[in-house]
Amino acid sequence: MADPAMSVTPYWELTFDADGDPDSGRRDRLLAEVVDRGVGDLVVFAHGWNSDRSGATRLYSHFFAPFPELAPAARLGYVGVVWPSMRFSDEPIPDFPRAVAAEMPPRPVLDKDTRHALLETFPGRATVIDQLARLLDQQPREDAELEEFGRLVRMLVEVVPPGPQALFAADTLAEGVPQDEPEILTGSAAAVCEEFAQALSRLESPDGAQGFSLPNPWDGAHELLRQGTYYAMKRRAGTVGERGLGRVVGQLAEAAPGVRVHLVGHSFGGRLVSFALRGLPEGVRTVKSVTLLQGAFSHYAFASRLPHDARAGGLLQGQQNRIDGPLVCCHSRHDSALGTLYPLASRMAGDAQGVAAFDIGRVLGGKWGAMGYDGVQAVQGTKALSLADALAVELPAKGCVNVDAAAVVRRGGPPAGAHSDICHRELARLVLAAGRIH
């Protein structure tokens, strides 16, 4: 019997905790039922930042809805991955009801929905969250209070020292050292807040209509909290992907070796499904395609060498070869979250140039850019196609393929822009094309 909350059937849910451990009951149900239900192609979708399970379920139902009509002869099954992530409630999601993409008061107040999401995502940190909310509400003028705010953000997200957990936060490595630890969690919080405030001002008024008034640094503090939280989600996505989903896909290959698996990820979910490739047991070849929708991780993650540092490479270098098919990366210039805020938040200490006088995506994006803004970089043989061309021709059978999806991924206001504008029939068609599902 179909789940009334889901547009397609058969549908299974895989739930993981922050350490990548699955809900064994849901996992075992999938492994037991996928063969009995006659599934030939299994589409596995991992969400990015979401406040709760209901938001993830709505996303999956909306995205999967066109699949049965687009591939009527295919024996499709669907999996929604649910993992402990969160979304700030001032990030509207196009086409989603107000209850899912609620509007909030003007920054920088910490609204009740976001506060609740923080409490759910970071259990045991209620006191820290209360202190953060108080500072955002009071907005004291002293730099010392902004520094205190930064210290509280570091406490909340538990910045990790170099070690195994640090690798799950990094996308690139040089001689075993993570290369993309963000300055926002190690440098001067007051300076970072000023910089974020300037960036947000430019996003909200790109034509300079706000005149010469100075941005409020507490707007930047609110963004520091958001980006610090997303740093923790980035680390968590790597853990859940490698230690969780990768192992489950391996178990599925053993239980149902004839089922073709297609991994799809949005935002940090793109990072999750990419790290799942690292977690695949040796010899597993059942993953037939990977589609990244506005992937929120380094565009150099799959590179063997970085253009700006020949000693360094991507932490996922070569992992695209674990796919018995293509890795398709959708990107859009309308994604402000990845075009402006991601490279600014990800830059290394020592890049001291400010944001007021230049295009952040152009200047910082080369070194610190994201998959979902300009696609896979520095991987030999990567193909580049428009969305229209990708849907008109047969996609390559192997390797990386960048698809410019800006023609449809284009709606959304600041601060995230079109980052969550992914529920389009054209993108459903692209997933099917990547997997050669007819």
Side-chain angles (χ1 to χ4, degrees):
M1 183 176 177
D3 183 341
M6 184 54 52
S7 61
V8 292
T9 188
Y11 171 81
W12 296 272
E13 187 179 278
L14 280 176
T15 303
F16 297 93
D17 66 17
D19 297 319
D21 294 323
D23 179 318
S24 58
R26 294 180 183 275
R27 178 201 59 198
D28 293 347
R29 180 185 170 204
L30 168 65
L31 297 178
E33 293 181 1
V34 69
V35 174
D36 292 341
R37 298 296 295 268
V39 172
D41 289 276
L42 188 69
V43 184
V44 181
F45 195 156
H47 64 76
W49 47 73
N50 263 291
S51 289
D52 52 28
R53 175 180 172 271
S54 65
T57 302
R58 283 190 176 94
L59 170 65
Y60 298 147
S61 185
H62 199 175
F63 189 84
F64 286 146
F67 278 64
E69 179 188 348
L70 292 172
R75 296 178 292 117
L76 283 166
Y78 308 87
V79 172
V81 174
V82 177
W83 60 286
S85 180
M86 72 161 285
R87 175 183 58 82
F88 276 60
S89 63
D90 65 338
E91 296 170 6
I93 301 176
D95 296 332
F96 270 50
R98 187 181 181 90
V100 179
E103 295 181 4
M104 66 171 286
R107 276 187 317 272
V109 173
L110 191 63
D111 68 294
K112 62 180 180 61
D113 290 337
T114 300
R115 185 179 181 280
H116 176 74
L118 287 168
L119 290 167
E120 290 287 316
T121 307
F122 300 101
R125 293 289 190 275
T127 300
V128 173
I129 293 167
D130 285 344
Q131 290 174 302
L132 289 165
R134 177 181 57 79
L135 286 171
L136 283 173
D137 183 53
Q138 295 177 351
Q139 301 182 43
R141 296 184 179 183
E142 297 81 6
D143 280 358
E145 298 297 337
L146 288 169
E147 295 296 344
E148 171 64 7
F149 189 88
R151 185 187 72 83
L152 291 168
V153 171
R154 289 192 289 272
M155 287 181 61
L156 178 70
V157 303
E158 296 183 298
V159 177
V160 294
Q165 280 297 321
L167 297 185
F168 285 114
D171 292 333
T172 57
L173 287 174
E175 300 174 352
V177 179
Q179 294 297 290
D180 45 5
E181 299 297 302
E183 180 186 1
I184 62 167
L185 298 177
T186 57
S188 164
V192 168
C193 290
E194 295 279 0
E195 204 160 356
F196 272 134
Q198 292 180 52
L200 289 166
S201 177
R202 289 170 61 85
L203 282 175
E204 293 171 353
S205 184
D207 58 357
Q210 288 185 335
F212 297 101
S213 61
L214 292 176
N216 180 1
W218 286 99
D219 281 353
H222 185 276
E223 189 62 32
L224 171 61
L225 174 59
R226 183 203 311 274
Q227 295 297 333
T229 299
Y230 291 163
Y231 175 77
M233 296 306 100
K234 176 182 178 181
R235 182 175 68 220
R236 194 172 285 182
T239 302
V240 173
E242 182 168 343
R243 296 180 178 175
L245 182 60
R247 293 177 182 176
V248 172
V249 172
Q251 293 165 348
L252 180 64
E254 185 175 347
V259 174
R260 306 169 75 247
V261 176
H262 310 276
L263 302 179
V264 182
H266 170 235
S267 187
F268 286 131
R271 192 174 194 269
L272 191 157
V273 299
S274 297
F275 270 74
L277 299 172
R278 278 174 52 110
L280 289 177
E282 194 66 34
V284 170
R285 303 293 295 173
T286 55
V287 177
K288 303 301 180 182
S289 68
V290 173
T291 305
L292 309 178
L293 305 173
Q294 302 311 114
F297 61 115
S298 173
H299 55 194
Y300 294 132
F302 293 98
S304 57
R305 290 291 180 270
L306 305 189
H308 54 275
D309 187 351
R311 303 165 303 161
L315 194 59
L316 296 173
Q317 59 181 285
Q319 292 301 318
Q320 69 272 21
N321 298 323
R322 303 295 305 274
I323 309 166
D324 190 22
L327 182 146
V328 176
C329 177
C330 295
H331 59 92
S332 171
R333 64 184 179 275
H334 303 300
D335 188 331
S336 303
L338 301 184
T340 296
L341 297 175
Y342 179 93
L344 182 59
S346 299
R347 70 192 175 113
M348 291 290 287
D351 286 344
Q353 193 171 9
V355 304
F358 58 73
D359 179 341
I360 300 167
R362 178 175 59 81
V363 176
L364 291 181
K367 188 174 182 180
W368 302 112
M371 290 277 180
Y373 187 70
D374 59 4
V376 175
Q377 301 294 312
V379 175
Q380 189 172 7
T382 298
K383 306 296 183 185
L385 298 169
S386 69
L387 180 58
D389 287 343
L391 296 176
V393 303
E394 187 171 72
L395 293 175
K398 290 283 291 183
C400 298
V401 185
N402 287 332
V403 176
D404 185 347
V408 297
V409 181
R410 59 183 301 111
R411 294 180 301 153
H419 184 67
S420 293
D421 186 20
I422 61 165
C423 290
H424 296 282
R425 186 181 180 88
E426 294 89 345
L427 298 183
R429 289 177 58 198
L430 188 65
V431 171
L432 295 169
R436 287 168 165 72
I437 304 171
H438 306 290

